Amino acid sequence: MTEKRKSIHGSWSGRLAFVLAATGSAVGLGNIWKFPYIAGENGGGAFVLVYLACIAVIGIPIMMAEVMLGRRGRQSPINTMRSLAKEAGANPAWRWLGWAGVLAGFLILSYYSVIAGWALAYVFRAAAGTFTGATAEGIASIFEQLTGDPERLLAWHTLFMVMTMIVVARGVRSGLEQAVRFLVPALFVLLILLDGYALASGAFDEGLAFLFTPDFSKISANGVLIAMGHAFFTLSLGMGAIMVYGSYLPERASIARTSITIAFLDTLVALMAGMAIFPIVFVNGLEPGAGPGLIFQTLPIAFGHMPGGALFGTLFFVLLVFAAWTSAISLIEPAVAWLVENRGMTRIYASVYAGIATWAFGLLTVLSFNTWADFKPLYFIEIFEHYTIFDLLDYLTANIMLPLGGLFIALFSVWVMRRNDSVQELDMGDSSAYGLWYVLVRYVTPIAVLLVFLNVTGLIELSGLSGQTE
Ligand code: PHE
């Protein structure tokens, strides 16, 4: 048995704190902003089913693998991978997996912060009563005014990045644990309220049918990739966020139980958001495939018409900001932990460094919604024909980098790491539950990820070369 490492960054106060922090990382814009709009764009029910299957079969096992590697390595993902590779007698090049994660986190946060900025802006709009009595068109124009103005977007993006840097600089224990303890329950209460409004709206059945009646003719190979990519994105997998959080996890905590809890809460939030949004979409004759603006164009309608809407609307967007905030800090934590370990920086310097770089790159996303809205860098590849820089960044990270990262994490945990070590770390004994995990991570996950990739690569080639529609 190798000697246990200790993290120089400290640790969570206990298992509950880890569950809260990891849930805080998982529950974010992905659940409330992204899930509904990509489900809407990709035909609804069939997409949701593929997404749920990916969470169960790929997401949970990979989350367990990531927490396990983190807890065993007890360092930033880069150094964790380096140490664990050494311990297993494998090639030190595995540390590049850590680097790929840092890069993915950087790219994701650069646009994530811009969208979180929209949520910040909406806190003030809701509080000022801007939505009260407004029509669907009125609400849509409020959204366009915001995204059409690069200066405003920049201001909100800057504010959100500063908020993120402050929390990361203070360290994960003070502040973060407290915030999440309140956030997760409050978010549930507000979503229940919105679901209640949707239930009374008159189109609840239609909304449910859209989300839960699978029609496989409506989903493309690319749609399947997007569903799988989203399973990684929404659970924060494949880039080291969960790994670095796992590195602060106390020794005696069941990784399996913890991972299942986190995945369950995360999925619940996404489905509740979907059930609130689609009835509002249908009753107002809106387009389910409206894109990234979907929740900003639907939920304000509900707030504008329910009693106490200004108050609930404000609360909702405050919670959305919190949800995004607790995710943002986990996106940047792997980079910050590395800067502290290898560059000898204090957490404060490390956060400022990483934060400013991410902020600057975020300008590309700010401009994607206005000045450069017509700039479609990959217009010559059919499926990317209409993709702005923001769309491409989102596609590259969520659908390619995270699944690839997850694939290599899976490969490392069961092909490179010694079986004894994972038995010991997962602490389930050599039981049938362990056996199931092992088979899923060893065979099912890699094959599933590869199949989806191959399918889509074929699709891109076809559409790129012949220019035919799918
Ligand atoms: N899971 C977060 C969300 O759903 C986003 C995220 C992705 C956070 C990857 C960390 C790592 O919003």
Side-chain angles (χ1 to χ4, degrees), residues 449-467:
V449 173
L450 283 178
L451 278 181
V452 178
F453 268 139
L454 290 179
N455 232 317
V456 177
T457 329
L459 191 92
I460 292 177
E461 258 171 31
L462 257 183
S463 71
L465 293 178
S466 65

Side-chain angles (χ1 to χ4, degrees), residues 9 12 76-77 102 109 164 167-169 171-172 239-241 244-245 247-248 327-340 347 351 354:
H9 309 282
W12 304 111
S76 67
V102 166
L109 185 56
T164 304
V167 177
V168 178
V172 238
M239 52 74 53
V244 80
Y245 275 15
S247 75
Y248 310 144
S327 301
I329 56 182
S330 72
L331 281 162
I332 206 172
E333 180 66 21
V336 169
W338 182 83
L339 287 171
V340 171
R347 279 194 72 91
S351 317

Side-chain angles (χ1 to χ4, degrees), residues 10 29 37 40 46 58 92 125 156 223 228 251 285 332 355 367 417 423 444-445:
L29 295 173
Y37 94 77
I58 303 179
R125 308 245 181 319
W156 293 116
M228 181 181 78
E251 216 44 64
I332 206 172
L367 296 173
M417 199 164 153
V423 170
V444 178
T445 303

Side-chain angles (χ1 to χ4, degrees), residues 307-375:
L311 175 67
F312 291 131
T314 311
L315 252 171
F316 175 81
F317 286 109
V318 167
L319 287 172
L320 187 58
V321 168
F322 267 95
W325 201 359
T326 53
S327 301
I329 56 182
S330 72
L331 281 162
I332 206 172
E333 180 66 21
V336 169
W338 182 83
L339 287 171
V340 171
E341 287 165 9
N342 288 45
R343 290 285 172 267
M345 291 189 191
T346 60
R347 279 194 72 91
I348 300 183
Y349 272 109
S351 317
V352 171
Y353 252 71
I356 291 182
T358 315
W359 172 83
F361 203 76
L363 300 183
L364 291 179
T365 296
V366 165
L367 296 173
S368 292
F369 290 100
N370 33 69
T371 317
W372 293 349
D374 294 325
F375 177 43

Side-chain angles (χ1 to χ4, degrees), residues 101-370:
V102 166
L103 179 65
F106 167 78
L107 296 176
I108 294 176
L109 185 56
S110 78
Y111 69 79
Y112 202 85
S113 164
V114 176
I115 312 291
W118 299 357
L120 266 175
Y122 269 55
V123 170
F124 295 89
R125 308 245 181 319
T130 316
F131 305 137
T132 312
T135 57
E137 295 83 61
I139 302 268
S141 91
I142 292 173
F143 178 70
E144 276 145 29
Q145 265 174 29
L146 172 69
T147 52
D149 181 347
E151 280 171 32
R152 271 195 235 183
L153 288 191
L154 179 63
W156 293 116
H157 162 56
T158 308
L159 179 59
F160 185 79
M161 271 314 297
V162 170
M163 288 164 52
T164 304
M165 288 191 274
I166 291 175
V167 177
V168 178
R170 293 179 49 130
V172 238
R173 223 191 214 190
S174 47
L176 167 66
E177 275 193 34
Q178 297 316 97
V180 187
R181 224 174 269 270
F182 152 82
L183 157 84
V184 180
L187 195 63
F188 273 104
V189 174
L190 261 269
L191 280 172
I192 292 171
L193 179 89
L194 280 171
D195 282 331
Y197 176 85
L199 184 62
S201 70
F204 197 64
D205 293 348
E206 208 182 329
L208 278 198
F210 179 79
L211 269 179
F212 296 115
T213 315
D215 174 354
F216 282 95
S217 66
K218 289 204 188 132
I219 188 166
S220 60
N222 193 35
V224 174
L225 177 68
I226 295 175
M228 181 181 78
H230 188 64
F232 283 93
F233 185 88
T234 191
L235 294 179
S236 306
L237 298 177
M239 52 74 53
I242 291 294
M243 196 186 291
V244 80
Y245 275 15
S247 75
Y248 310 144
L249 181 64
E251 216 44 64
R252 304 222 57 82
S254 156
I255 292 181
R257 252 193 23 223
T258 311
S259 303
I260 292 171
T261 310
I262 297 164
F264 175 78
L265 290 174
D266 185 78
T267 308
L268 199 61
V269 172
L271 295 180
M272 284 170 74
M275 289 192 296
I277 287 159
F278 286 107
I280 303 175
V281 168
F282 292 119
V283 95
N284 290 287
L286 300 169
E287 200 29 70
L294 187 66
I295 68 157
F296 295 94
Q297 293 167 338
T298 50
L299 295 183
I301 302 179
F303 296 128
H305 291 91
M306 65 167 72
L311 175 67
F312 291 131
T314 311
L315 252 171
F316 175 81
F317 286 109
V318 167
L319 287 172
L320 187 58
V321 168
F322 267 95
W325 201 359
T326 53
S327 301
I329 56 182
S330 72
L331 281 162
I332 206 172
E333 180 66 21
V336 169
W338 182 83
L339 287 171
V340 171
E341 287 165 9
N342 288 45
R343 290 285 172 267
M345 291 189 191
T346 60
R347 279 194 72 91
I348 300 183
Y349 272 109
S351 317
V352 171
Y353 252 71
I356 291 182
T358 315
W359 172 83
F361 203 76
L363 300 183
L364 291 179
T365 296
V366 165
L367 296 173
S368 292
F369 290 100
N370 33 69

